[in-house]
Structure formats: C-alpha cells, structure tokens
C-alpha cells in the first residue's frame, strides 16, 4: 500500500535510490493512515458501528460493499443478518452517506424469533436491543485522491529530511526505524497488509496536516477495525 509514486516523491524533494524512496513513501503512507484513520485504497476490513434508534449504522469509513452484518449482543452469538434485512448506502453515490440501514425487512422461519409471524429480522433485532453492529466488507476510496497523493509525497520528503543520517543510510535495509518528531515508524520490506494503527494528532508536518484536514475520520461512531 502506497499513496504516491516514487516520481511524485522525488518531485517533492525526496532523494535516493528507488528502494530508498519507496521506504520513505511507506513511512509517509503509514503516518497518513494513522492520522486520518481512512482507507484510500479498496481494503477488506471489519468495523463496528453504533446503531441509532431508527436502525441506521453510520460507517466510519467509505463503504464499497458489505459481505456480512452481525448485531453485537451479549454472548456474541447472534447470527449474521441476511441481505434482505438491511440496505447499504455509500458516499460513492452523489448525496449518499456511508451507512448500513438495519430493521429493513425480511424473515427466516427457520430462525427462532425471526419468523414472519414474529416480525422477521426487524422484530428480532428490536428484541435483541443491539446498540452496535459488526460490518464486514470492502472499504476505502476507489483510488487515492490527488490531494492525498500530494500529501504523501510531501510527507515522504519531510520524514527523510527530519531523519538522522544513520536512519537515511539504512532506508534500503529490511527494516527501517524513522524518528518523525518523536514518533517511531517501522517499515518492513514486504507486501503484507498491516493492522490498522491507533490515531495520531499529526502526521508530523503542519503542511501535510492542512492538506489532509478534509479527510480526517474523527467521528464518534468509530469503534474499531480489524
């Protein structure tokens, strides 16, 4: 996962071999993800969102598709809801919001409490009194927004300039510790997706922070992700 290209980072002032520049880009991408708590590329994930009294669960990240919705109840043994029991709206559609709308309809006469004569899935969800729902699916933007790519390139150059010479010299090593104004960032040279990290108050660059302010995900409904 990288939010800008090597050429973009070079244009912003990042120097070194392609591998070294790619390492600084990785560090910048990590910082941007930590700061915004957003996915800027399609990413399979699980989020937990609060459910409003009307059944609307506003999702903390842009949703592309949903594969499973499970109410969070005591004992964590609630079955996943069928697609007929909810509908999904996405900010990818003009005027839309990222949300799962529960208590929508449908029934299953083979599930105790979800039978048609008991109000179906809507009636069962109401009896559960679940206040949160676990939503699995694909989240993120279809492609990295140009402003985010610009911010990533600038941040890569900023991190390189702020790093000690010994750190810069090791950029092509299997792992790199970058001291970005007190924040240690670990880069591993592999393509495996990393676990979402805790939010940070800044990327370490006020210029980059200003570019990303419109993408901050600081909503109260952000419970967590896997």
């Amino acid at each position: 996962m990288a939010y800008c290209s090597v050429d973009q980072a070079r244009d912003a002032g990042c120097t070194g071999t392609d591998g070294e520049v790619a390492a600084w880009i990785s560090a910048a991408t990590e910082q941007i993800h930590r700061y915004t708590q957003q996915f800027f590329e399609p990413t399979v994930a699980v989020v937990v969102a609060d459910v409003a009294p009307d059944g609307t669960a506003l999702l903390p990240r842009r949703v592309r598709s949903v594969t499973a919705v499970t109410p969070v109840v005591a004992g964590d043994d609630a079955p996943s809801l069928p697609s007929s029991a909810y509908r999904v709206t996405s900010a990818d559609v003009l005027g839309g919001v990222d949300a799962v709308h529960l208590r929508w309809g449908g029934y299953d006469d083979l599930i105790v409490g979800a039978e048609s004569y008991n109000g179906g899935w809507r009636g069962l969800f109401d009896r559960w009194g679940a206040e949160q729902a676990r939503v699995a699916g694909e989240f993120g933007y279809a492609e990295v927004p140009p402003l985010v790519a610009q911010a990533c390139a600038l941040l890569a150059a900023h991190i390189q300039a702020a790093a000690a010479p010994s750190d810069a010299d090791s950029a092509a090593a299997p792992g790199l510790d970058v001291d970005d104004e007190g924040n240690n960032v670990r880069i591993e040279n592999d393509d495996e997706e990393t676990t979402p990290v805790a939010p940070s108050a800044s990327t370490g660059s006020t210029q980059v922070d200003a570019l990303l302010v419109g993408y901050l995900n600081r909503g109260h409904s952000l419970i967590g992700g896997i």
Side-chain angles (χ1 to χ4, degrees):
M1 181 174 64
Y3 292 157
C4 70
S5 67
V6 169
D7 288 342
Q8 287 174 310
R10 289 192 192 282
D11 289 342
C14 206
T15 61
T17 66
D18 285 355
E20 290 170 341
V21 174
W24 299 118
I25 291 173
S26 295
T29 297
E30 172 80 6
Q31 287 293 83
I32 289 173
H33 178 56
R34 186 189 301 272
Y35 177 59
T36 62
Q37 289 293 287
Q38 290 279 18
F39 295 130
F40 293 111
E41 294 176 335
T43 304
V44 175
V46 177
V47 301
V48 178
D50 293 338
V51 179
D54 67 353
T56 299
L58 295 176
L59 299 173
R61 297 185 173 94
R62 177 164 296 194
V63 63
R64 308 196 60 76
S65 62
V66 170
T67 56
V69 176
T70 308
V72 178
V73 299
D76 200 29
D77 58 354
S80 293
L81 301 177
S83 58
S84 61
Y86 61 86
R87 66 187 179 95
V88 180
T89 57
S90 173
D92 271 349
V93 179
L94 183 64
V97 295
D98 296 302
V100 170
H101 305 267
L102 306 175
R103 301 187 180 95
W104 188 246
Y107 63 89
D108 190 335
D109 287 333
L110 299 179
I111 302 294
V112 176
E115 302 92 345
S116 56
Y117 53 82
N118 271 329
W121 288 103
R122 176 173 181 170
L124 181 56
F125 193 91
D126 287 340
R127 285 189 289 278
W128 277 330
E131 298 180 351
Q132 295 178 343
R134 183 178 293 105
V135 181
E138 187 178 61
F139 299 83
Y141 288 69
E143 57 186 19
V144 180
L147 204 60
V148 175
Q150 179 185 355
C152 182
L154 290 171
L155 186 57
H158 173 83
I159 293 174
Q160 183 184 44
S166 59
D167 291 330
D169 291 341
S170 64
L176 169 66
D177 288 320
V178 180
D179 183 13
D180 178 18
E181 297 186 2
N183 296 319
N184 290 323
V185 178
R186 183 69 178 175
I187 305 171
E188 297 294 343
N189 284 347
D190 58 51
D191 295 326
E192 295 182 6
E193 185 176 323
T194 57
T195 301
V197 293
S200 65
S202 172
T203 61
S205 166
T206 55
Q207 181 183 13
V208 172
D209 290 352
L211 288 174
L212 296 173
V213 68
Y215 296 97
L216 291 182
N217 181 2
R218 295 290 190 265
H220 69 278
S221 63
L222 177 58
I223 306 301
I226 300 175

